[in-house]
Amino acid sequence: MQNPFTTTYSKIPASSYIPTEQVEEILQNFTYEQPSESVYKITGVRGSGKTVLLASVEQKMESEEMKQNGWYVYRLSPARDMLRQLLSFLARDGIIKEKKKDRGANVSATILGTGGGIGITSSADDLYTDVGVELDAALKNASAEGKKILIGVDEVSRTQEMIVFTQELGGWIRAGYPVYLVCTGLYENIEQLYNVKNLTFFRRATTVKTEPLSQLRMSEVYRKTLGTDTSVARQLAEMTKGYAYAFQKLGSLAFQEKTELHPEELAEDLRSELFAYAYEKIWEEMSTEDRALVSLLLDQEEYKKEEVVSRMEKPQNYPVYRDRLLRRGILKSRQGYIGLALPYFADYIKEYGGVSL
């Protein structure tokens, strides 16, 4: 039997995928005749399932039912000219009705290479061609024909390509064109776009933060796919703390065992995988201030706010660092308490974070 668990980047697991409320929220909006939200920003810590969530939305929107309702789904790369990518997709699907005239070539050469040259000239119409104008016309046409366009962008950051695209998107939304965006990115990367001029609408757009997976649903997936009893399945689910990467990785490790499962032995393998493929990068990207705060949370599951503040060098900054780490998905909180959200992250900090205890 093929391993039903996968940690392959952006791949939706065939039989171990756990749908989330965030996916349903986005899909429900797009089923309305006039969707109330035009932009969704999916954020969360590395490995929390941002890309899989986006892929799930895209897959659902590409269903025959949604196609019959006029939906087109386009995946754009933020590493290339995004406007031209979109223009190419629209041309391919016939949403652009008139093709741009080809440039005329003026070629001259003398025989046997004794001289000559090659020149390329453009028609007068080409001199006034602008990709933004072409897209505006295409989207206006799509609106008139009842077509709707969903754009998916993974791993957003403050690049020139993303800035130009987002500025154009704001104009399309103001014009009432049926174009919608779902993008993913680390919170700090998306936040960098907020300070760009004329992108206020992007700041105000709905942010969807990945949440821990349901303990009950994880337990059921483990029980069914691994053929283990409920108590062991629950123990495995608890080990992951709902962290999507840990859930898939632990399931994969357990599936490979092929024998009676021993959670305590699997825990060591899981720790090693998390340390190497998730936490090293997460820790590297954290600021000195953020590291200082999480380093106060290593010996208990959660701490009272007062305990943490009393141990900080600059206690007045507690709300800023706490909120930033919560938005990034590194901390969890309940009324008056905070703790680390990621399984075995405290162990990583102790062993590799250079923290003196």
Side-chain angles (χ1 to χ4, degrees), residues 17-25 53 211-214 217:
Y17 173 65
I18 296 178
T20 64
E21 292 182 0
Q22 294 100 321
V23 173
E24 297 306 317
E25 173 189 337
L53 197 159
E211 298 291 343
L213 299 176
S214 161
R217 290 184 176 182

Side-chain angles (χ1 to χ4, degrees), residues 3 22 60 71 162 220 277 285:
N3 194 328
Q22 294 100 321
K60 295 281 188 181
W71 282 96
M162 191 66 202
E220 281 299 291
Y277 298 109
E285 294 172 337

Side-chain angles (χ1 to χ4, degrees), residues 152-183:
V153 183
D154 195 22
E155 293 297 332
V156 165
S157 61
R158 184 173 170 166
T159 63
Q160 186 60 32
E161 291 80 8
M162 191 66 202
I163 291 172
V164 170
F165 170 77
T166 310
Q167 288 173 333
E168 291 291 328
L169 175 66
W172 301 335
I173 292 174
R174 289 195 302 274
Y177 295 152
V179 56
Y180 305 90
L181 171 69
V182 180
C183 63

Side-chain angles (χ1 to χ4, degrees), residues 60-339:
K60 295 281 188 181
M61 295 300 293
E62 287 176 316
S63 67
E64 283 303 316
E65 179 185 358
M66 299 307 289
K67 287 180 181 178
Q68 291 174 8
N69 289 329
W71 282 96
Y72 291 76
V73 179
Y74 300 131
R75 298 170 178 84
L76 303 186
S77 168
R80 306 197 312 274
D81 187 325
M82 298 174 72
L83 297 181
R84 292 199 176 278
Q85 289 178 65
L86 180 57
L87 195 64
S88 297
F89 280 126
L90 296 175
R92 181 198 67 184
D93 291 338
I95 296 176
I96 295 178
K97 296 302 182 182
E98 296 182 4
K99 292 185 178 180
K100 188 173 70 174
K101 294 180 180 179
D102 293 330
R103 289 179 175 180
N106 176 25
V107 182
S108 63
T110 53
I111 302 174
L112 300 178
T114 57
I118 298 175
I120 299 177
T121 60
S122 298
S123 68
D125 288 343
D126 271 348
L127 297 177
Y128 299 98
T129 296
D130 179 90
V131 66
V133 174
E134 290 189 58
L135 281 170
D136 190 88
L139 295 172
K140 186 175 182 179
N141 180 66
S143 180
E145 295 184 355
K147 297 173 180 176
K148 300 176 183 178
I149 295 163
L150 174 66
I151 298 169
V153 183
D154 195 22
E155 293 297 332
V156 165
S157 61
R158 184 173 170 166
T159 63
Q160 186 60 32
E161 291 80 8
M162 191 66 202
I163 291 172
V164 170
F165 170 77
T166 310
Q167 288 173 333
E168 291 291 328
L169 175 66
W172 301 335
I173 292 174
R174 289 195 302 274
Y177 295 152
V179 56
Y180 305 90
L181 171 69
V182 180
C183 63
T184 75
L186 298 175
Y187 175 80
E188 56 270 28
N189 289 343
I190 288 182
E191 187 180 38
Q192 289 176 0
L193 280 169
Y194 292 168
N195 298 323
V196 177
K197 187 178 180 180
N198 299 327
L199 292 189
T200 303
F201 83 96
F202 190 74
R203 174 191 288 271
R204 295 175 180 172
T206 302
T207 298
V208 175
K209 181 177 174 295
T210 54
E211 298 291 343
L213 299 176
S214 161
Q215 290 284 329
L216 178 59
R217 290 184 176 182
M218 287 190 296
S219 297
E220 281 299 291
V221 171
Y222 282 149
R223 184 182 66 80
K224 292 177 181 178
T225 56
L226 300 175
T228 187
D229 60 51
T230 302
S231 61
V232 172
R234 285 178 177 172
Q235 190 174 350
L236 293 175
E238 289 171 358
M239 287 165 58
T240 73
K241 286 190 173 182
Y243 181 39
Y245 178 75
F247 166 66
Q248 291 292 336
K249 192 64 197 182
L250 181 58
S252 180
L253 292 169
F255 184 84
Q256 293 169 21
E257 285 294 304
K258 303 292 185 183
T259 58
E260 184 178 350
L261 297 180
H262 298 284
E264 62 279 1
E265 296 177 6
L266 290 170
E268 286 303 311
D269 292 333
L270 177 62
R271 272 169 36 98
S272 298
E273 294 290 331
L274 292 174
F275 286 8
Y277 298 109
Y279 295 166
E280 183 178 13
K281 189 65 175 177
I282 291 173
W283 183 253
E284 177 186 307
E285 294 172 337
M286 291 173 62
S287 68
T288 301
E289 294 81 5
D290 291 342
R291 291 180 182 181
L293 177 55
V294 299
S295 297
L296 301 175
L297 311 173
L298 305 183
D299 297 318
Q300 298 173 200
E301 185 65 23
E302 59 181 12
Y303 290 78
K304 288 184 178 180
K305 168 189 171 182
E306 291 75 17
E307 293 180 72
V308 180
V309 171
S310 66
R311 297 163 60 196
M312 292 182 65
E313 290 187 10
K314 297 180 179 180
Q316 68 273 18
N317 292 333
Y318 170 78
V320 175
Y321 302 147
R322 177 204 59 198
D323 291 348
R324 184 164 63 204
L325 289 165
L326 286 171
R327 288 193 293 266
R328 292 185 62 184
I330 293 172
L331 292 187
K332 62 180 180 179
S333 70
R334 65 184 183 89
Q335 190 170 11
Y337 290 83
I338 62 169

